Amino acid sequence: MVLQQNSQVLLWGKAGTATIKIITSWNNRQYNVLRQKDSSWRVRVQTPKAGGPYQITFIDGGRTVLTDILIGEVWVCSGQSNMEMPVKGFGNQPILNSNDLLMDAENPQIRLFRLERALSRTPQADCKATGWQTANAAQSRYRASASRA
């Protein structure tokens, strides 16, 4: 994944234990967070300038480690249906020079994250998504949103 550089980013989740420990590898800082009555927790963590890869460790009785995290610029694109056009284009609607772009799509400093379409009148705690993936030719054919460190 990619987190916004030089920022206070929000991490959140649900836990079974009363206290959750979160350790960020870019500064080796430990955050202790108390679980709410509904099992949810939230904490803001300070991020450094662009770099990585880093990891975040969550300890709530068990241990979960997120790896290969980059810190940089995060751009989320959304809008109408034209926002989901793949780099190669659609059927009989190719994108000029798309083959060249796809052949040069290997970049370990770019992560792609695609959300599935969803409609809601209320804020949602979770989403359906492909997950963070490293940019490469195969992914670029189908992904339109990118984050760059």
Side-chain angles (χ1 to χ4, degrees):
M1 79 165 103
V2 180
L3 297 175
Q4 182 64 41
Q5 68 176 329
N6 297 318
S7 184
Q8 293 273 331
V9 298
L10 182 64
L11 303 177
W12 70 92
K14 292 203 174 245
T17 58
T19 303
I20 299 89
K21 294 179 185 176
I22 300 161
I23 303 165
T24 52
S25 71
W26 54 85
N27 59 4
N28 291 314
R29 181 164 176 204
Q30 179 174 307
Y31 300 82
N32 295 311
V33 185
L34 295 176
R35 179 191 69 185
Q36 302 298 308
K37 289 181 183 179
D38 66 353
S39 298
S40 67
W41 58 266
R42 296 169 42 133
V43 64
R44 290 199 179 273
V45 300
Q46 180 65 45
T47 58
K49 66 178 182 167
Y54 297 109
Q55 65 184 31
I56 302 175
T57 302
F58 300 87
I59 302 169
D60 67 346
R63 182 182 196 94
T64 301
V65 180
L66 301 180
T67 61
D68 199 24
I69 298 169
L70 298 180
I71 306 291
E73 289 301 309
V74 177
W75 297 12
V76 178
C77 303
S78 73
Q80 298 183 17
S81 60
N82 63 347
M83 292 300 294
E84 67 178 304
M85 181 178 281
V87 174
K88 72 175 183 171
F90 288 119
N92 292 328
Q93 301 171 326
I95 304 298
L96 182 64
N97 301 318
S98 64
N99 286 336
D100 294 334
L101 291 169
L102 289 169
M103 293 305 293
D104 195 27
E106 287 291 326
N107 190 329
Q109 296 298 306
I110 296 177
R111 299 293 190 275
L112 306 169
F113 183 82
R114 183 173 187 269
L115 295 168
E116 297 298 323
R117 284 188 236 156
L119 176 64
S120 176
R121 295 186 187 274
T122 60
Q124 301 296 299
D126 205 352
C127 64
K128 291 183 182 177
T130 59
W132 292 96
Q133 298 174 338
T134 303
N136 60 47
Q139 296 302 329
S140 295
R141 285 189 199 109
Y142 304 104
R143 311 293 182 245
S145 301
S147 296
R148 186 174 192 143

